[in-house]
Amino acid sequence: MNPPDADLPLFPSLDSLETVLWPGLALVVFVVTAVIVDLMIILSTRFRLVDLPNRRSAHALPTARGGGVAIALLASLASLVAAYRWPYLSGRILLGVVGPSLVIAAVGMIDDIRPLRPLLRLAIQIAVAVMMTAVLGPVPGFALPGLVAVSFGVFAWPLTVLWIVGLVNAFNFMDGADGMAGLGAVVVGIAIAAISYRIGALAPMLLAAFTAAAAGGFLVFNWQPARVFMGDVGSGFLGMLFAGLPLLVRDSLIEQAVVPIVMCLWPYIYDPFLSVLRRIWNRENPLEPHREFLFHRLVRSGVSHTRVALLYAGLSAVGGILGLGMVSPAIPTEIRCWLPLGVVILAVGLTYSIERRCSRVVLEPVGRACT
């Protein structure tokens, strides 16, 4: 179905002045986010926003939580400017991306203060994912350069809802180590912005850039030793927003954008997915908090939070570079179609390396064991 604004330009354009104003706004988002996060650290004890070590966390000391409020607030306010700039996209930006992301952020805030039942939280996520899909439309399929496009057909709706809910929870799982989710959001945001710019989708580009700037301001206080975690309010917001950005890309170009965007997110999707499969295989409840993620195993084997966060960010950056190559006409088609294979090789190498390290460390004193 063609949108009512089909006669308008497919993607917005920028003039020479805006090429300076938008980066300036991103810098403002970075600075203001950092200031707000610093204030929240001071007020966290008063408002009982303290993350105590549990079965899922990789930290050993109580740490302020809820810094993600600043990320959600500043990224959303900056997105309002983009919606104002291109009014014919305002409905899709506000109702399709920002609105659902804020709803999930609000649910996350409640969960940070007083934990909700996992099934109730999941039901809300599904409902919001359906709302996002209704506004933006489902992912119709995907296309690899030079190969036949794959259409999801009747499965487009359930697969899109699964993608949204899955990414919300996957990103939430990554907020257990110092700098992991914050640095990941910076790298993923920059990668999505680059891919969106390359295909001419400037609205998703700006939303991704503003989100990366807000995550960068938060990261100032989240780097090891972390003074604050983003909490479910931040990780839920980021997961929902990153899930919605490829849906914001309009018409047939969405099929070109899906795989590249997934490639820049791959380490933050692959680790939770592998851990869930492992728990199901072992007949354990995957919804219960646990420390069986690959990054947890690295931390427990003696690798610092800093190195683990840098490893995952580096893997994400490589995936983003490969994804950007997929949408770059300068690269021959016969090469671009094989670039996703690079992510598969990285995933196999990551799993093998961690399992091999843990098999050695388990022979050392129990305090450093992986399992």
Side-chain angles (χ1 to χ4, degrees), residues 22-107:
W22 291 119
L25 179 57
L27 179 60
V28 171
V29 169
F30 171 85
V31 174
V32 176
T33 302
V35 172
I36 294 178
V37 171
D38 194 17
L39 292 175
M40 292 191 65
I41 294 174
I42 300 173
L43 299 174
S44 61
T45 303
R46 180 178 178 180
F47 291 98
R48 299 180 182 179
L49 286 174
V50 178
D51 196 336
L52 300 176
N54 56 40
R55 294 179 61 189
R56 199 191 77 186
S57 60
H59 63 287
L61 297 175
T63 306
R65 179 175 56 183
V69 170
I71 297 177
L73 176 63
L74 268 298
S76 299
L77 289 177
S79 299
L80 291 178
V81 180
Y84 175 80
R85 169 62 177 81
W86 297 297
Y88 67 93
L89 292 176
S90 60
R92 295 174 62 83
I93 293 174
L94 300 181
L95 299 180
V97 179
V98 178
S101 300
L102 288 176
V103 171
I104 293 299
V107 173

Side-chain angles (χ1 to χ4, degrees), residues 219-241:
L219 185 62
V220 172
F221 301 96
N222 182 239
W223 198 244
Q224 187 178 14
R227 294 175 56 193
V228 62
F229 287 125
M230 65 176 62
D232 291 351
V233 58
S235 59
F237 175 85
L238 290 171
M240 179 63 70
L241 188 139

Side-chain angles (χ1 to χ4, degrees), residues 15 68 80 92 130 189 199 217-218 228 250 252 302 307 341 368:
D15 58 33
L80 291 178
R92 295 174 62 83
V130 170
I199 65 176
F218 164 81
V228 62
R250 295 170 55 192
S252 61
R307 291 187 177 183
L341 185 60
R368 295 190 61 195

Side-chain angles (χ1 to χ4, degrees), residues 7-351:
D7 56 326
L8 296 173
L10 180 60
F11 292 112
S13 59
L14 297 177
D15 58 33
S16 57
L17 179 60
E18 287 179 290
T19 58
V20 177
L21 292 179
W22 291 119
L25 179 57
L27 179 60
V28 171
V29 169
F30 171 85
V31 174
V32 176
T33 302
V35 172
I36 294 178
V37 171
D38 194 17
L39 292 175
M40 292 191 65
I41 294 174
I42 300 173
L43 299 174
S44 61
T45 303
R46 180 178 178 180
F47 291 98
R48 299 180 182 179
L49 286 174
V50 178
D51 196 336
L52 300 176
N54 56 40
R55 294 179 61 189
R56 199 191 77 186
S57 60
H59 63 287
L61 297 175
T63 306
R65 179 175 56 183
V69 170
I71 297 177
L73 176 63
L74 268 298
S76 299
L77 289 177
S79 299
L80 291 178
V81 180
Y84 175 80
R85 169 62 177 81
W86 297 297
Y88 67 93
L89 292 176
S90 60
R92 295 174 62 83
I93 293 174
L94 300 181
L95 299 180
V97 179
V98 178
S101 300
L102 288 176
V103 171
I104 293 299
V107 173
M109 173 61 78
I110 296 173
D111 193 48
D112 285 334
I113 298 174
R114 186 174 182 178
L116 301 173
R117 294 182 179 180
L119 290 180
L120 173 60
R121 191 169 64 244
L122 180 62
I124 296 174
Q125 292 171 355
I126 293 175
V128 177
V130 170
M131 179 182 73
M132 174 180 279
T133 307
V135 174
L136 298 178
V139 178
F142 66 90
L144 297 178
L147 301 178
V148 178
V150 177
S151 175
F152 292 148
V154 297
F155 298 104
W157 262 82
L159 287 176
T160 302
V161 172
L162 179 62
W163 153 255
I164 297 171
V165 175
L167 189 56
V168 169
N169 287 279
F171 220 86
N172 175 260
F173 292 147
M174 294 293 104
D175 189 32
D178 298 1
M180 173 71 77
L183 183 59
V186 172
V187 174
V188 169
I190 293 174
I192 293 179
I195 293 171
S196 300
Y197 175 78
R198 193 66 189 82
I199 65 176
L202 298 184
M205 178 199 74
L206 289 175
L207 266 63
F210 294 147
T211 304
F218 164 81
L219 185 62
V220 172
F221 301 96
N222 182 239
W223 198 244
Q224 187 178 14
R227 294 175 56 193
V228 62
F229 287 125
M230 65 176 62
D232 291 351
V233 58
S235 59
F237 175 85
L238 290 171
M240 179 63 70
L241 188 139
F242 286 146
L245 288 181
L247 307 182
L248 188 58
V249 178
R250 295 170 55 192
D251 295 340
S252 61
L253 287 181
I254 186 175
E255 298 182 2
Q256 300 179 26
V258 168
V259 174
I261 289 178
V262 171
M263 288 168 64
C264 66
L265 280 159
W266 82 265
Y268 307 102
I269 298 174
Y270 173 73
D271 193 347
F273 178 72
L274 182 64
S275 300
V276 168
L277 288 182
R278 181 177 294 171
R279 289 186 67 82
I280 294 176
W281 178 265
N282 294 329
R283 299 182 180 180
E284 299 172 339
N285 184 359
L287 298 180
E288 290 182 352
H290 60 86
R291 298 181 63 188
E292 298 177 11
F293 298 101
L294 294 177
F295 81 89
H296 278 139
R297 295 164 67 81
L298 277 176
V299 171
R300 294 167 63 186
S301 72
V303 180
S304 68
H305 289 227
T306 297
R307 291 187 177 183
V308 172
L310 288 173
L311 171 64
Y312 274 63
L315 293 172
S316 176
V318 173
I321 292 172
L322 294 175
L324 185 61
M326 286 190 62
V327 296
S328 300
I331 300 177
T333 301
E334 54 270 18
I335 295 178
R336 285 189 286 151
C337 66
W338 290 103
L339 291 180
L341 185 60
V343 169
V344 177
I345 296 173
L346 289 174
V348 174
L350 176 67
T351 306

